[in-house]
């Protein structure tokens, strides 16, 4: 019994010392990661024009971006099937383009899983959770309200 208690105390201490961090993995299970998510296109647009500095990022495939995108958007395609190396490259590209105090307004996917991965990668590369803004309904919802 004493060995079990000692072992549990050791595990608790290790967890407190080293913990678990979303900065270490973009797919950490059980991680309570929150980013700012918008489902209303008008609200997303209003937030975009009111925050500065800001960046508008379209994560759809290049071919979709070329068929139509929001004015001012930069295409940084992201796929759910990206390897760890591709995810790392995406994060580095983001960091090369925008400094860490930039409000990131990301759109193009209605997939919560994909949006969550993109947000976690941005966070892992130093962007604040509160400055990562995701529109959750895709491009078609936004194009009618963007000015």
């Amino acid at each position: 019994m004493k060995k079990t208690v000692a072992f549990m105390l050791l595990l608790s201490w290790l967890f407190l010392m080293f913990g678990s961090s979303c900065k270490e993995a973009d797919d950490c299970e059980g991680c309570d990661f929150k980013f700012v998510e918008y489902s209303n296109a008008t609200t997303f647009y209003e937030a975009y024009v009111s925050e500065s500095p800001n960046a508008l990022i379209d994560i759809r495939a290049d071919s979709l971006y070329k068929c139509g995108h929001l004015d001012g958007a930069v295409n940084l395609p992201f796929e759910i099937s990206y390897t760890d190396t591709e995810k790392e490259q995406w994060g580095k590209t983001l960091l090369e383009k925008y400094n860490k105090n930039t409000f990131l307004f990301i759109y193009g996917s209605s997939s919560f899983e994909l949006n969550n991965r993109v947000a976690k990668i941005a966070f892992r590369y130093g962007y604040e959770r509160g400055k990562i803004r995701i529109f959750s309904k895709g491009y078609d919802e936004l194009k009618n309200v963007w000015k």
Side-chain angles (χ1 to χ4, degrees):
M1 179 71 172
K2 287 183 182 180
K3 287 183 182 180
T4 303
V5 171
F7 181 72
M8 293 304 286
L9 286 172
L10 176 63
L11 284 178
S12 297
W13 179 81
L14 287 171
F15 185 76
L16 287 172
M17 291 301 293
F18 301 103
S20 151
S21 171
C22 285
K23 284 192 173 193
E24 295 173 10
D26 63 318
D27 296 319
C28 58
E29 291 188 28
C31 184
D32 187 22
F33 183 81
K34 302 248 190 289
F35 54 89
V36 181
E37 182 178 16
Y38 294 85
S39 59
N40 180 285
T42 302
T43 307
F44 184 77
Y45 174 78
E46 289 170 352
Y48 172 75
V49 298
S50 70
E51 299 292 358
S52 183
N54 63 26
L56 184 60
I57 301 166
D58 186 326
I59 60 173
R60 297 175 301 147
D62 187 50
S63 59
L64 292 173
Y65 177 82
K66 287 178 180 175
C67 288
H69 58 274
L70 303 177
D71 286 341
V74 171
N75 189 223
L76 289 179
F78 189 89
E79 299 289 331
I80 200 84
S81 60
Y82 271 6
T83 64
D84 288 344
T85 302
E86 290 169 318
K87 291 174 189 176
E88 183 178 325
Q89 184 56 51
W90 191 91
K92 287 179 180 178
T93 300
L94 184 68
L95 200 54
E96 288 169 5
K97 290 186 174 288
Y98 307 107
N99 65 45
K100 293 178 184 178
N101 71 336
T102 303
F103 287 87
L104 303 177
F105 287 84
I106 301 168
Y107 76 92
S109 175
S110 57
S111 162
F112 177 80
E113 184 179 356
L114 188 126
N115 290 335
N116 200 36
R117 285 186 187 192
V118 167
K120 284 181 180 179
I121 291 169
F123 177 69
R124 189 170 67 206
Y125 276 83
Y127 296 92
E128 295 176 32
R129 291 177 188 196
K131 291 187 174 188
I132 302 167
R133 312 294 176 91
I134 305 279
F135 183 68
S136 63
K137 291 192 175 180
Y139 167 71
D140 290 334
E141 294 277 334
L142 278 173
K143 70 181 179 181
N144 297 322
V145 300
W146 213 260
K147 300 170 178 129

